[in-house]
Structures are given as structure tokens and as C-alpha cells.
Amino acid sequence: VRLIDHVLDDGFELQCGLRTRGLRLRCEVHGELDADGGNAVLFPTWFAGRHAANRWIIGPGRGLDTARLCVIVVNAFGNGESSSPSNDPQLLDGGSPVPTSLWDNVRAQQALVDSLGIRSLHAVVGRSMGAQHALQWGCLHPERVERVFAFCGVPKTTAHNQLLLDAMDDALCAEDTEAGLRLAARIYLGWCYSQEFFGAADGTRAWAERQLLENFRQFDARDLLTLVRSWRAADISANPVFGGSLQAALGAIRARTLLMPISHDLIFPPRDVEAAQAAIRGAQSWLLVSPWGHRAAAPGGRPDEIATLELALKKFLLPERLTTWESLSLVMGRVLAM
Amino acid sequence: VRLIDHVLDDGFELQCGLRTRGLRLRCEVHGELDADGGNAVLFPTWFAGRHAANRWIIGPGRGLDTARLCVIVVNAFGNGESSSPSNDPQLLDGGSPVPTSLWDNVRAQQALVDSLGIRSLHAVVGRSMGAQHALQWGCLHPERVERVFAFCGVPKTTAHNQLLLDAMDDALCAEDTEAGLRLAARIYLGWCYSQEFFGAADGTRAWAERQLLENFRQFDARDLLTLVRSWRAADISANPVFGGSLQAALGAIRARTLLMPISHDLIFPPRDVEAAQAAIRGAQSWLLVSPWGHRAAAPGGRPDEIATLELALKKFLLPERLTTWESLSLVMGRVLAM
């Protein structure tokens, strides 16, 4: 495991028009790259996540199997590891964060992939906002991405999801920053599990609220705001290549694509994920059933659900590496829709 | 139609311990009361609602048919019509609203019903927080309530719903009261329709947000806070009679009970409503299917959904008054689960 800081060329222009100097993408690399780079899996971070969070399914024999794959976890702009308002004054405009888009992130990731000598990625894998990165890769570089695995995410943030993010934005901009952070976490909490999850046991909410608040506290408020806004504006077609046509963007994807919605996900309901699937040539969708909603199979989640996610990943990325037991599990319907 | 201000006896004690003087319940009465009061239907208001909002299904031949029924719309404490922080300084404690509980409201409503000479109510009908009032009536006065109709509500506010209400409470307590009100509306908006509703058409969110904000603006912020907290604490068993046993409270209901959940309701999901139904002797549950979620068949909603609600009410309250066409509609499955 090694950390790489990839520095972008001076003049790298953000979608908002800002020409930057020395913008940084920080990556954590797991496993060894083949001579031709053909075993590389790009694995971007999600909202309020840093590279360390992505480790939960990486390792020898794991969902992202480092015995065969080289997994490159890349930090999104604004997450405090890659360039962010908290570590780079360029990304502040009069105290306010400069917007960094999905397109900005993926163009920067492309430069990183080039610098590593990788011509074609074995896969881009992402969860939540990271799934939006993966889908953006699929449509921008159809010839360079063999597989796209999008876990609980959609190609364009919905109007309903924007509403949630606008409320969090309002809270994070409050005069009283501590109260604002707590309120933003509280607003998000209602959406990131399911109603059923909270009903299950006393103390569940207290536990979940503590977890989420600890998570949010790891971020500078301006960085968090950058991520909120990046997510809010996320749309794989909102760029010069696709000019706002989502159908064109989805239609441009040539990678084998697997979408994995979660039954109780209030942020990315299965219906929205399945609408995307229908527009991507040959895409498959496998449903993960869980009252944990958007947090199902996330770090700290239920081991059986994480195992299901990993099994889906292995079957999709390295079917030849499945053990007899794993193949049997699939046949027995542990991942039903496979 | 006439307005009645019922003044409670001095000494009426709120559940929080405050002994009050001259507390007021304001009611709007539609139709004529029979000599024995046997045609009275009590119809409490909901969260952020006043008696005028309840008129949308009241009238001759309507769901609450004033040709036969006397419909008494009673305003909840804190809604600005009945006693509230904005009109009664007793209900302010150092600038903060004094809590008024579900039990307080129903005890006050009982005094009103007594004063009108009504021994037994034909029905108590409620929507949302009003449905909680109806269920509280059912368990506190099994001998005085013939029917309970609870539309999109549950007997005890869930932990998940409390989370939403806590976030609104935080927003409403903000220093900047205008920004706080807007944020509270934004937080609530995400829950009071469904994800699918927002996806349907451009401009939907702008329209819904404007509507909700106009609704909230009709209330003094302290009154709104009273209603938020009353809803948050709502539990038909949180009183000396049932000592916190929800099973005992639900088991005490003797009225014919009809619960009507809405398929896409994010605040009161059908699953929670059906759990209540299972614990009430002989209770029925009819599902209203609508992407409008919690706002389905509410004032300003889709006419066909309102018609379905009214048909359900008529069948439940006055089956002998159904027209041939209405009976045929039922047979043809307009209200499927009937």
C-alpha cells in the first residue's frame, strides 16, 4: 500500500473557469500494477469519505482482490486529502469554496491514470457519489474502461436529492458553525438509513447520529460544503461532451456495467437506478435488499451484506477467481438476481 | 357553519404540570347536531393546519357528508386558533413554548364534546397528526367513540420521524428566524411528498417548496415549534392511563377502526400503519396508492385521490348513503382493498 500525490499540470482549468496551479490528487494504491496496467481498478471516494474508508473491501481474496488487481483509491477534490479549500487557497473565493465538478474530478483522474501508464482500466468501481464518478468515466472514456460497477448511485443527482443537499448547504452556511454541522448531520441522517432501520431497536438513532457526526467532524466545514455542492450538481452529461443530454451520455457507455441499488435506499431509490440501467447498453442491475438503506454494506455495516457486495464484485471483476463455495453461494441465491 | 370558542375551566392542568386559566379550543362546526348528538364527527386539525384546511372534504354529499353528519373541526393547541404561544402568554415560559401533548388536546376536546351534550361520537376522523388525536380518542374513550378513521398517521411517533422533527426544531430555533423558517420548510419538504413525486416534472420542487413555505408563513414561529414538539412527543400511551404501554393503549380501542396508509408516505410508511392495525381489534387497513406520498389526497392534491379518500370515508361512516355509482366504483375496485 502506498500513497501517491499526483500534481496536475499548471493551467488545469476547472469547469467553473478557474485556471489552477499545482492542484493535487491524492491516491492510495493497493497491489501491484501489471506491466501493461491492465489490472488497474480505479476506486474514487464518496461524499464525506477519504481513501481510508475505501479499504473495507480491498485485500487479498476480498471483493477488490489485490492478489490480482491493482486498486487505485483516488480522493475527490474537496475531501481534505486531494486539493480542497482547507489545504489550497486557490479553491477559496472570498471565503467560499470554488465549485469542483464531476467532470473536473474525472479529467484530473484521467491525467493520473495517464501518468501511471495505464491505457485501459480493468474497472472503475464507486459507491454513492463515487458511483457517479464511475459512470462519468464510462461515458467519457468508453475505450479506456472495461467495466463500470456503480453501487447505490445514479448518473444525475435527482431533484429530490438536491433538496436534501440544499438543506444541508443551508445548515453548513449557518453563523453558528458547530450548530450548523450538527444540523447538517441530522438532516442527512434521516436519509442515509431507512425508516425501518430506526424502528428496529432503541438506541439505534443515538448510535447512528454519533457515528455520522464523528464522520462529519473529520472534515473542514468548507470542504464538506464543496462535497455537498459537487454532489448536488453531479450529472454525467453536464459537460461540453454531452451538452446536458443524459440519454446521450448513458448511450455512450461501452463498458460492461453493473448497477447495484439497495432496496431501502432513500437517496438513490432502486427505481432511479433501474431507469439508468435501462438506458445503458447491456447493463445489469442486482438489488441488495437491506433495511440499512443507503448505508447497507458500507464500512461498519452488517458483515453479511458486505460479503454479498464483495461476492457481486468478485463475480463481476474476476469470475475465474471465485471459489467453489462462492460459486455455490451464487447458485443458492445469496445474490439473488445474479 | 359556525365558529365556537370553548373556554376550558380554570385549573385545567397540562401534562407538563402547568395549571391554566381560560384556555381556549376554537372549533368550526358544519351541519346540524341531532337531538342526541349521535351524528357528531370530531375532526381535529393536523400539523401546520388550521380549521379552514379541513374543509376540503366537508359538505353535503362529500366524504364528511353534512346532510347527515355534524362535523366539528377542532383546532389543536398551538395552531394559532386555539390557545397558542402567539395568543396566550400562559403558553410561553421565558419565551419558549410550553409543551402541549396529545393527551392535553384530547382531554380538552372531551370537555368540548361534553359541553355540546354529545355522549357518543359517530366518529373521530383525523389526518396525519390529527390521526394521532383520533387514535388517542379511541383508546381513552372506548365507550364514547363508535368509529376511528386514521388517515396517514400512527399511534406513536417513530424514532425516524422524531429525527426529522428534531432537525426542524433546530432550524426553527435559529438566531435568524427567517432563514430558520425556510430551512425548516426545506427539511420537511423532502419528507412530505415522495422521491418519485419530485422526479415527475421540472418545476415540481419549486411549486411544492413555495406552497409549503406559504403554509409555514401563516404561523408564528413559536406556534410552529409547539406543533413540532407536540408531534414529536405524540404517543397515545404516554399518559397515566396507559403508562407507556402502546400495546395496552391499542388493545383498549373498541371503535370500528379504519387506518388508511399511503403507499409512498415517507413519514408514516404503510408498514408502520399496518403494525398498528394488527394490534387494534378488528381494525381494517386500506392502502391509498400515490406518488404524492404524505400529501396524497390532502387539500390541493389530485382530485381523483381526494375522491378515493372521500369514498372510503363515506363507505366507512355512512354506507347506507352511498349512491349506486359509488357502490359500483367500489365493486370495480376504485378503492381496491375495500
Side-chain angles (χ1 to χ4, degrees), chain A residues 294-308:
Chain A
H294 190 57
R295 286 272 164 151
R302 284 173 45 171
D304 62 321
E305 293 176 357
I306 295 172
T308 301

Side-chain angles (χ1 to χ4, degrees), chain A residues 147-187:
Chain A
R147 292 169 194 79
V148 167
F149 185 99
F151 180 43
C152 58
V154 296
K156 179 178 175 174
T157 299
T158 63
H160 182 266
N161 192 358
Q162 287 179 339
L163 175 60
L164 148 70
L165 294 163
D166 283 341
M168 291 172 69
D169 192 320
D170 289 347
L172 290 170
C173 291
E175 198 79 20
D176 180 343
T177 54
E178 167 59 21
L181 188 81
R182 273 189 279 113
L183 179 51
R186 195 162 262 187
I187 293 168

Side-chain angles (χ1 to χ4, degrees), chain B residues 35 37 135 144 183 205 248:
Chain B
L135 291 162
R144 298 187 70 178
L183 179 51
R205 174 183 162 188

Side-chain angles (χ1 to χ4, degrees), chain B residues 14-266:
Chain B
L14 296 178
Q15 202 166 356
C16 66
L18 182 75
R19 295 181 73 86
T20 62
R21 290 190 54 162
L23 224 50
R24 178 181 82 200
L25 271 194
R26 178 167 286 172
C27 317
E28 187 171 76
V29 181
H30 303 253
E32 296 305 318
L33 202 59
D34 285 351
D36 65 351
N39 69 334
V41 171
L42 195 70
F43 188 20
T45 57
W46 53 75
F47 170 71
R50 294 203 177 113
H51 61 261
N54 288 39
R55 290 178 195 145
W56 95 118
I57 52 170
I58 301 173
R62 303 295 306 269
L64 295 173
D65 187 353
T66 49
R68 285 290 300 281
L69 301 171
C70 174
V71 181
I72 304 159
V73 178
V74 57
N75 288 282
F77 286 132
N79 84 342
E81 297 281 352
S82 287
S83 293
S84 305
S86 66
N87 61 32
D88 188 339
Q90 285 183 101
L91 295 181
L92 278 173
D93 179 12
S96 263
V98 166
T100 50
S101 71
L102 191 54
W103 196 51
D104 292 335
N105 273 285
V106 170
R107 279 182 303 132
Q109 289 166 13
Q110 178 198 347
L112 161 79
V113 166
D114 289 345
S115 78
L116 295 171
I118 300 165
R119 268 202 34 226
S120 177
L121 290 158
H122 185 78
V124 187
V125 171
R127 174 186 173 271
S128 193
M129 195 159 90
Q132 300 184 309
H133 288 230
L135 291 162
Q136 179 76 93
W137 262 97
C139 65
L140 280 180
H141 305 291
E143 75 299 344
R144 298 187 70 178
V145 182
E146 289 165 35
R147 293 169 193 78
V148 167
F149 184 98
F151 179 43
C152 58
V154 297
K156 179 177 175 174
T157 299
T158 62
H160 181 267
N161 192 358
Q162 288 179 338
L163 174 60
L164 147 70
L165 294 163
D166 283 341
M168 293 172 69
D169 193 320
D170 289 346
L172 290 169
C173 290
E175 199 81 20
D176 180 344
T177 54
E178 167 58 21
L181 189 79
R182 274 188 278 113
L183 179 51
R186 193 161 263 186
I187 294 168
Y188 190 46
L189 186 62
W191 296 104
C192 71
Y193 295 89
S194 75
Q195 298 96 335
E196 204 167 334
F197 172 84
F198 286 96
D202 285 343
T204 303
R205 174 183 162 188
W207 169 84
E209 193 156 7
R210 202 164 46 239
Q211 295 266 113
L212 187 60
L213 198 54
E214 277 170 24
N215 178 350
F216 276 23
R217 279 199 203 287
Q218 293 163 2
F219 292 83
D220 181 285
R222 298 160 303 177
D223 290 357
L224 212 47
L225 204 52
T226 305
L227 295 173
V228 165
R229 291 178 183 174
S230 188
W231 182 2
R232 191 203 187 285
D235 174 356
I236 63 168
S237 72
N239 52 58
V241 180
F242 298 109
S245 168
L246 186 60
Q247 287 306 306
L250 291 169
I253 297 175
R254 290 291 169 273
R256 286 185 53 204
T257 302
L258 178 56
L259 304 170
M260 197 165 183
I262 299 164
S263 58
H264 291 53
D265 194 333
L266 295 171

Side-chain angles (χ1 to χ4, degrees), chain A residues 125-144:
Chain A
V125 171
R127 173 184 174 271
S128 193
M129 197 160 90
Q132 300 184 310
H133 288 230
L135 291 162
Q136 180 75 91
W137 261 98
C139 64
L140 280 181
H141 304 291
E143 74 297 346
R144 297 186 68 177

Side-chain angles (χ1 to χ4, degrees), chain A residues 41 43 54 57-67 69 71 125 310 313-314 317:
Chain A
V41 171
F43 188 20
N54 287 39
I57 52 170
I58 301 173
R62 303 294 307 270
L64 295 173
D65 187 352
T66 49
L69 301 171
V71 181
V125 171
E310 293 195 69
L313 270 167
K314 286 173 96 162
L317 299 180

Side-chain angles (χ1 to χ4, degrees), chain A residues 10 25 62 85 101 112 115 136-137 145 188 209 237 250 277:
Chain A
D10 284 353
L25 271 195
R62 303 294 307 270
S101 71
L112 162 79
S115 79
Q136 180 75 91
W137 261 98
V145 182
Y188 190 47
E209 195 157 3
S237 72
L250 291 169
Q277 178 220 343

